[in-house]
Amino acid sequence: MNDELTTIGATLTLTEDRMRGGRHASERLWPTGFDGLDPVIGGGLRQGSLVLLAGAQGLGKTTFAVQVCRTVARSGRPVLYFSYEHDAEDLVLKLMAMEAGERDDSHQVRLTAFREAFDATDTGPIEERLAGVPGALRALAEVRSYAERLFVHRSTGSRTDLAAIRARIDEVHEATGTVPLVVVDYLQKVLVPGGPVDEVERSTAIVEGLKDLAIDISAPVLAVVAAEKQALRSGTRMRTHHLRGSSALAYEADVILVLSNKFDVVARHHLTYDLGNAERFRQWAVLSVEKNRFGRDGVDLEYRKRFEQGRFEPEGREVAEQLIDDRIFTE
């Protein structure tokens, strides 16, 4: 980070040099691969921005984050994933099922089939284990095509602090020559050495540190965040104020995305007058753009859940139905 004084004139000169050198705005953007979302947030995850991804347990936050990582790695850029919740092999399984599922017209691809193949007691190369899994060998070849650009750090709440995160980013930068997209899964698990016990103060220190980090490295930081208990109970739609820990999360973030089950947040009349909607809505997740410094907020997009394949279908659209904050329909 350059913390010396500068002027707008000097900044304008640097901007003109960038334009003359052919370095365009696309270099400052990391597309997520999700239709509908990228245009809303200004073309993708933006250089120097902090993006928070929230949602109740089981709504696919890690799945969404891994899918974004896959898109960026396939584009030729490095990714560094700090995983406080999953080991690297779990992420490999998601990637394999994701790749196979996108190429499957038979709807037979299942994440469980990949897991069973990986856990089998048979000995032999991975190709033999996967031979009987639909689409697995093509998926393996595809994952291998970008695997060396996708770095995973097995992080722990007892060891991995902001300094460790920065050190690993520097390692990836040195190894690849490019600053990576950084994903932290999840924010509240980041260690604050000798820091406050109070969760509000801890969350403030972490989110401020991640925001500074994004600016320092000139790359996006995508952080998964937990929610307050009140937002996890049935009948409540998660909003920005439900993020667990501190109001600083809402203040520091450039973009806040919240995942919900469509069935849980749609207005009652959409279910009352067409009972078939209930089953259809369960198959979709709503991704709400709660805050957006780079474009519109208050945008609700929907993506079909394919969790049996470890993915969302990336073709999204704006929600046509009315959504509510408190569910008033139960079965």
Side-chain angles (χ1 to χ4, degrees):
M1 177 181 180
N2 181 4
D3 57 2
E4 296 180 357
L5 285 172
T6 189
T7 67
I8 291 297
T11 302
L12 183 57
T13 298
L14 290 173
T15 301
E16 290 177 325
D17 289 343
R18 173 177 62 81
M19 292 176 176
R20 290 194 187 98
R23 291 174 287 133
H24 303 297
S26 61
E27 296 181 10
R28 300 162 60 87
L29 298 171
W30 281 252
T32 67
F34 283 94
D35 292 352
L37 176 60
D38 285 335
V40 169
I41 61 175
L45 307 181
R46 186 172 292 268
Q47 169 185 307
S49 67
L50 174 62
V51 179
L52 302 184
L53 174 64
Q57 184 176 1
L59 282 179
K61 298 185 296 297
T62 295
T63 296
F64 185 93
V66 171
Q67 212 159 333
V68 172
C69 291
R70 188 276 302 260
T71 296
V72 173
R74 287 176 70 179
S75 75
R77 285 171 152 170
V79 177
L80 177 50
Y81 195 103
F82 291 92
S83 179
Y84 287 83
E85 297 272 280
H86 309 275
D87 65 29
E89 192 166 293
D90 286 338
L91 302 182
V92 170
L93 287 168
K94 278 187 176 291
L95 289 166
M96 296 278 289
M98 191 182 299
E99 296 291 357
E102 285 193 354
R103 294 162 177 77
D104 173 49
D105 295 326
S106 67
H107 304 288
Q108 295 180 1
V109 171
R110 294 292 182 272
L111 177 60
T112 52
F114 284 90
R115 184 170 287 114
E116 289 168 0
F118 273 52
D119 292 343
T121 57
D122 301 342
T123 59
I126 189 172
E127 287 81 2
E128 289 183 7
R129 287 174 175 254
L130 294 174
V133 179
L137 296 182
R138 288 180 61 192
L140 175 61
E142 184 63 27
V143 171
R144 280 177 168 162
S145 72
Y146 57 78
E148 294 305 312
R149 293 189 293 274
L150 216 170
F151 296 79
V152 180
H153 181 268
R154 181 64 181 96
S155 309
T156 68
S158 60
R159 294 195 307 269
T160 312
D161 59 6
L162 289 167
I165 289 174
R166 179 56 190 264
R168 303 294 84 75
I169 293 170
D170 291 342
E171 286 181 20
V172 172
H173 188 185
E174 183 176 354
T176 64
T178 306
V179 179
L181 165 68
V182 177
V183 178
V184 178
D185 187 5
Y186 65 94
L187 181 146
Q188 283 87 354
K189 286 254 186 174
V190 175
L191 173 66
V192 180
V197 176
D198 180 75
E199 186 173 43
V200 171
E201 295 181 30
R202 286 186 67 257
S203 295
T204 298
I206 295 166
V207 73
E208 288 178 350
L210 290 177
K211 175 60 178 178
D212 289 344
L213 179 64
I215 295 172
D216 288 353
I217 66 174
S218 296
V221 173
L222 171 63
V224 177
V225 294
E228 298 284 1
K229 288 184 179 179
Q230 69 184 80
L232 303 179
R233 67 173 184 259
S234 177
T236 300
R237 180 183 178 187
M238 188 179 298
R239 294 291 198 177
T240 296
H241 63 271
H242 291 129
L243 301 184
R244 198 179 88 203
S246 169
S247 60
L249 273 70
Y251 179 77
E252 296 289 345
D254 297 291
V255 177
I256 298 177
L257 307 174
V258 179
L259 281 166
S260 306
N261 278 315
K262 184 174 182 180
F263 174 80
D264 290 340
V265 299
V266 75
R268 177 179 180 176
H269 62 268
H270 296 299
L271 300 163
T272 302
Y273 301 113
D274 187 346
L275 297 180
N277 279 339
E279 187 57 36
R280 287 193 293 272
F281 290 164
R282 284 191 176 93
Q283 299 173 13
W284 293 79
V286 173
L287 182 72
S288 300
V289 183
E290 290 277 301
K291 178 182 179 181
N292 182 13
R293 285 194 172 129
F294 311 118
R296 289 190 297 155
D297 57 14
V299 179
D300 298 307
L301 304 167
E302 61 182 13
Y303 297 91
R304 188 179 178 191
K305 297 182 288 186
R306 299 299 303 273
F307 291 170
E308 78 281 4
Q309 298 180 345
R311 68 187 183 99
F312 292 94
E313 291 186 357
E315 298 80 20
R317 63 196 182 199
E318 290 200 35
V319 178
E321 294 81 10
Q322 178 188 355
L323 303 180
I324 56 174
D325 284 343
D326 295 303
R327 188 175 59 194
I328 56 176
F329 176 87
T330 58
E331 292 181 299

